[in-house]
Amino acid sequence: MIPPSAVWPAMRREAQELVSAEPVLGGIAYSHVLNQPSFEAALGFLLAHKLETAAICATQWASLLSEVLQGEGAAAVRRRSGTAERDIAAMAKSDLLAIRHRDPACPSLAHAFLFYKGFAGIEAHRCAHELWHRGRRAVAALIQSRVSECFGMDVHPAASLGPGLMVDHATGVVIGETAVVGRDVTMLHAVTLGGTGKQRGRRHPRVGDNVMLGAGSSLIGCINIGAGAKVGAGTTVVADVPTGATIVGVVGVQKRKRTKQAEADSTNATMLDHIADDSLLFDMAAGESGLRERLSELVLLRRRTAPEPVEQPSAETEIRAQVQSESRPQRRPTAQPADNGGGAATAERPGRRRAARPASRAARLRSRL
């Protein structure tokens, strides 16, 4: 484990090795690391050239970022806020060490410093966060906009991010205004720390220390994620997560398909179902109890409008009905006397007696009961 005080010497050594292995990278290595007097100066130079535009050149950005990273204003803000951890350079070193030790694809500190957009985006946000607390909110919003354009991640300047944060890939990461992220958190791409759109004040998640947020996971609402918890890829979380828990799966409500006849017969019921589904969606943030209550209301609404079920006869009932119908004696039609011209009725010729038939179908059905 490399201590934070050894990060800058290690970076310079690794940058020199990088130039020896790939001479084409000599310009980048010397301008960003080897020609810089300190880690703070190197970080400011890196961010200035990442954020520069046609309207604001790198020199102007470097002057602004140097004031944030090395000036006395940061120390004054820390004294006023009572937070000793608003040291951007120290947190940036912790972020580099976190990337080096948690990302198996990272070969060196210099590699992460020069080429990882997740690291550059987070450090630019830390500068914007400092400016936000100094009251320079327009400049902080400009940095947020440039970070979104350059690195594909959108972090509100007021969001608080702890040290030791690794944002892998960074594309699609969205963090809201009142979100709080603890120490040593690992966050993969497309993670969302968002609000429900129904609340004021604190409305975004609070993530504890040593939390792992999988790719595409969404944490919605004013919820707490306990220390050491893990959230699986693609998981939507709308309630508090206990310490050390592992959360996987997607929260959703399946809506039944409706036929045209059912929609025509129950227009009012359809409207009630939509109301219930919408209230369920927006009240899931109330926790498990709110979700259970809304599900109960939805079930009651559907039961009231559902058609009466038709009882289907069982196989035994059908067999008994067949036995009864076949066991009843059937009346044979009487022969009508035929007129042979003389008016006398001719008797029916007696035929031969039939042989005994096997057991009737009714008897066979009885044997099956």
Side-chain angles (χ1 to χ4, degrees), residues 216-250:
S217 58
S218 298
L219 282 59
I220 306 299
C222 183
I223 59 177
N224 295 313
I225 310 300
K230 297 180 181 180
V231 180
T235 300
T236 300
V237 182
V238 296
D240 292 349
V241 175
T243 300
T246 299
I247 307 298
V248 295
V250 178

Side-chain angles (χ1 to χ4, degrees), residues 185-201:
V185 172
T186 301
M187 189 181 302
L188 276 64
H189 56 280
V191 169
T192 299
L193 305 183
T196 61
K198 296 288 185 178
Q199 297 170 313
R200 298 290 180 182

Side-chain angles (χ1 to χ4, degrees), residues 44-63:
F45 187 89
L46 171 72
L47 297 179
H49 283 77
K50 295 287 187 181
L51 300 176
E52 68 173 336
T53 63
I56 305 178
C57 65
T59 304
Q60 292 173 294
W61 278 116
S63 176

